[in-house]
Amino acid sequence: MEKGRTALVTGGSRGIGAAVVRLLASRGVRTACTYFRSPGPARALALEFPGLVEPIAYELGSLDSAERAADEAVARLGHLDTVVANAGVWAGGPLTRIDMDTWSRVLNENVVGTAQLCRAVLPALRAADGDRSITIVSSAVAMIGGVGDSAYSSAKLALLGLSRTVAQESGRYGIRVNAVAPGIVETDMTASLPDGAVAAVVDGLLLRRAGTVEEIAAAISFLALDATYCTGATLTVDGGWSV
Ligand SMILES: NC(=O)c1ccc[n+]([C@@H]2O[C@H](COP(=O)([O-])OP(=O)(O)OC[C@H]3O[C@@H](n4cnc5c(N)ncnc54)[C@H](OP(=O)(O)O)[C@@H]3O)[C@@H](O)[C@H]2O)c1
């Protein structure tokens, strides 16, 4: 059990984020779990782990919202030592057809939004003691791209630059910053992909199957809590997609 450890997981109410919240809470980490549109699933996690999970509202792409989420997490948990920047958005289409406002929104919410979150939580992390970490959720498409994924893959690659830079700026304070690059995992996000897209990816994977949210959460919690000499790293968890 992780005595006294606290975490903020963005997009913690569903999909990969919810698996991270469950894993951290089951390890005794008191965890603020953010939702955006629907508080219901985050409240259900709070009922599943009484006294360990705190639902809070958060919207990607707003510095104001990131600062409020950081303040709220500290107010409810007492301090903050672990942050998982998991919330992200996907929208796609061939570059010749995708609406450029959509392209800019994907970049802004994923990249600027995650930078705003890091900026908002760093004062609280610096004020805390012991091992502290930020783990940013990128994607295997950062490394390999993908048809229809020009905005998303650009944004997820930018997050690797962001995580390495924040790692360089934060090491002197004892704060570790790493990234996880998941492959294909069936969640509500992949449900919005075109028909057959997941099967086509799975067909080409070394492991010939999609990952589970629990497998990605295990990698995230390893970097967030266990890998205490690991910073500036990217852990690819993609069933061999990017090999
Ligand atoms: N699934 C995959 O195959 C895959 C692969 C590689 C990387 N990833 C990355 O992994 C992360 C989690 O993906 P997922 O598939 O688990 O997603 P998901 O199932 O769609 O979960 C979305 C979560 O993010 C929240 N959210 C949605 N839009 C938001 C916004 N604009 N601002 C703040 N929060 C927002 C949702 O809250 P509400 O329900 O309240 O709206 C929910 O908690 C993302 O960064 C994604 O890019 C996923």
Side-chain angles (χ1 to χ4, degrees):
M1 295 296 269
E2 306 294 331
K3 272 221 165 91
R5 193 119 192 188
T6 61
L8 170 66
V9 180
T10 65
S13 62
R14 287 191 282 120
I16 293 168
V20 174
V21 170
R22 282 198 172 88
L23 184 51
L24 296 186
S26 67
R27 292 181 63 172
V29 179
R30 291 172 48 238
T31 301
C33 160
T34 82
Y35 60 88
F36 173 45
R37 286 204 178 84
S38 41
R43 288 184 185 147
L45 280 168
L47 291 176
E48 193 179 329
F49 294 95
L52 283 167
V53 174
E54 298 281 348
I56 61 176
Y58 164 69
E59 178 177 7
L60 262 175
S62 154
L63 180 60
D64 188 48
S65 177
E67 288 175 338
R68 272 188 279 113
D71 288 349
E72 185 91 11
V74 172
R76 301 224 202 153
L77 304 170
H79 72 280
L80 187 60
D81 52 54
T82 305
V83 174
V84 178
N86 164 74
V89 296
W90 179 87
L95 184 57
T96 48
R97 291 210 295 271
I98 188 172
D99 171 69
M100 287 313 286
D101 287 342
T102 303
W103 213 97
S104 300
R105 181 178 63 80
V106 170
L107 257 286
N108 185 60
E109 293 188 7
N110 286 311
V111 183
V112 181
T114 304
Q116 288 165 333
L117 181 78
C118 292
R119 181 181 162 112
V121 298
L122 277 168
L125 290 176
R126 286 184 191 177
D129 298 316
D131 181 59
R132 285 149 289 153
S133 69
I134 298 175
T135 308
I136 293 176
V137 179
S138 173
S139 168
V141 303
M143 269 72 77
I144 55 180
V147 173
D149 267 343
S150 61
Y152 183 74
S153 64
S154 300
K156 291 297 188 178
L157 184 57
L159 290 183
L160 301 186
L162 177 70
S163 71
R164 288 169 193 153
T165 299
V166 182
Q168 289 176 31
E169 293 178 356
S170 303
R172 77 189 70 168
Y173 303 102
I175 300 166
R176 302 179 296 106
V177 185
N178 296 292
V180 169
I184 200 92
V185 181
E186 292 195 50
T187 64
D188 295 340
M189 182 179 276
T190 50
S192 65
L193 295 174
D195 282 351
V198 172
V201 170
V202 167
D203 219 33
L205 297 179
L206 300 187
L207 295 184
R208 301 284 196 278
R209 66 171 178 84
T212 65
V213 292
E214 290 81 11
E215 287 171 320
I216 308 304
I220 292 171
S221 86
F222 169 71
L223 284 175
L225 300 180
D226 305 309
T228 52
Y229 197 55
C230 196
T231 193
T234 300
L235 179 52
T236 301
V237 192
D238 66 356
W241 194 6
S242 55
V243 173

